[in-house]
Amino acid sequence: MTVDQTPLFVVADVHGHRAELRDALHGAGLTDADGRWSGADARLWLLGDYVDRGPDGIGVIDDVRRLAGQAASAGGEVQALLGNHEVQLLAAHLLGTTTVPGWPQQDGFRGAWARFGGREDDLRRLGDEHISWIVSRPAMAVVDGYLLVHSDTTRYREFGDSVAAVNAGIAAALTSRDAAGWLAFCQLISDRGAFRDSEPASPDDAVATMLDTYGGEVLVHGHSTLTKHFGVAPGDVREALRYADGRVLAIDGGVYEGGRVLLTRLDEPRPSAAT
């Protein structure tokens, strides 16, 4: 196994807060004053939820796509995972007000998307290039010993027992036009809270199950905000939160709840793992 010595940064749940992401990247030296990549060979992974809740989700996607090209030209890397809000936005776009028997949402997928923070401007500006980008996003990766996912759930296992199988299974789900299947998919990828009560001694420890199945030594996730789900006051959000005996790192700073876009450097070099 090789050890990658280049800087590795992660950030999650920008939720349309384009200016805040730009400020965070510039403050870390990854971009210049004009928003262009200046991070040389650094690596940046975004863990999903670019859209909804904030003022310019499509602009965030455009910035990430642009930075990926600039970073690659400079010898760096910008990669982006799929979040549940991208799935919900696609469901609203593809299925509109379609309902599913037994589902009480009378205005269908579009109504559910709006209820969870969907912004009409994101839906209106969603173009073919954005859809192509979203459906090509992986759902998980292992980088330098970190298992990167969007949601703090074990339900990724329903798609397979390897990173490649999960990514292939979710990619296939995104091609479906079956309304019941989309509803189940949205619910699965929106699940949360699986790791907060995990104890290493437990035979069904959720964290160990994920790490043993997919690889890595530490699981890194967004999705569940430090502000609402971990009880950190918005003004006190300063750094990512380690929990579950140090095996999990929560990085959603709850920017739309008054927190911040929490760009986090994973400083300690760790062995790379195949994905």
Side-chain angles (χ1 to χ4, degrees):
M1 292 188 296
T2 60
V3 175
D4 195 330
Q5 301 290 342
T6 58
L8 175 61
F9 294 83
V10 289
V11 68
D13 299 83
V14 177
H15 280 300
H17 290 77
R18 191 179 191 184
E20 290 86 343
L21 176 62
R22 288 182 169 184
D23 288 346
L25 294 175
H26 182 50
L30 293 178
T31 58
D32 63 20
D34 296 321
R36 294 185 57 83
W37 181 259
S38 60
D41 61 355
R43 296 165 294 157
L44 170 65
W45 280 80
L46 298 99
L47 306 191
D49 280 9
Y50 314 98
V51 300
D52 297 346
R53 301 194 187 278
D56 193 0
I58 297 301
V60 170
I61 290 177
D62 287 339
D63 284 349
V64 174
R65 294 170 62 222
R66 174 180 52 81
L67 286 171
Q70 293 173 356
S73 296
E77 183 180 36
V78 173
Q79 298 286 353
L81 298 184
L82 180 74
N84 64 297
H85 278 266
E86 286 74 60
V87 174
Q88 291 164 353
L89 176 63
L90 281 185
H93 170 74
L94 294 171
L95 298 168
T97 58
T98 301
T99 60
V100 176
W103 185 31
Q105 190 71 41
Q106 296 301 311
D107 45 3
F109 289 89
R110 183 159 180 157
W113 161 77
R115 176 182 165 210
F116 289 107
R119 302 288 289 255
E120 287 295 328
D121 192 55
D122 284 349
L123 187 58
R124 178 182 60 81
R125 294 167 56 204
L126 183 70
D128 290 344
E129 69 275 20
H130 305 115
I131 295 170
S132 295
W133 184 83
I134 289 170
V135 301
S136 67
R137 295 306 89 206
M140 65 167 54
V142 178
V143 183
D144 292 2
Y146 294 95
L147 175 59
L148 308 180
V149 294
H150 173 68
S151 303
D152 45 327
T153 180
T154 61
R155 296 194 66 188
Y156 291 104
R157 298 182 68 216
E158 296 178 31
F159 287 101
D161 59 2
S162 70
V163 172
V166 169
N167 289 337
I170 287 183
L174 290 169
T175 68
S176 171
R177 297 299 178 266
D178 174 68
W182 268 92
L183 178 58
F185 181 29
C186 288
Q187 293 170 337
L188 181 155
I189 204 166
S190 299
D191 189 48
R192 71 170 84 247
F195 311 128
R196 269 169 268 176
D197 296 325
S198 289
E199 295 292 341
S202 171
D204 57 350
D205 174 49
V207 180
T209 296
M210 290 290 287
L211 296 175
D212 290 347
T213 301
Y214 300 114
E217 301 166 33
V218 175
L219 186 149
V220 184
H221 71 82
H223 188 50
S224 291
T225 60
L226 299 189
T227 43
K228 178 180 178 180
H229 297 281
F230 290 91
V232 180
D236 293 335
V237 174
R238 294 289 182 270
E239 61 184 9
L241 176 69
R242 275 192 182 266
Y243 68 102
D245 198 37
R247 298 170 300 154
V248 182
L249 190 66
I251 66 167
D252 181 357
V255 62
Y256 71 92
E257 295 172 343
R260 61 187 295 189
V261 171
L262 197 58
L263 181 65
T264 300
R265 181 168 178 176
L266 305 177
D267 285 305
E268 183 182 356
R270 294 175 181 271
S272 298
T275 60

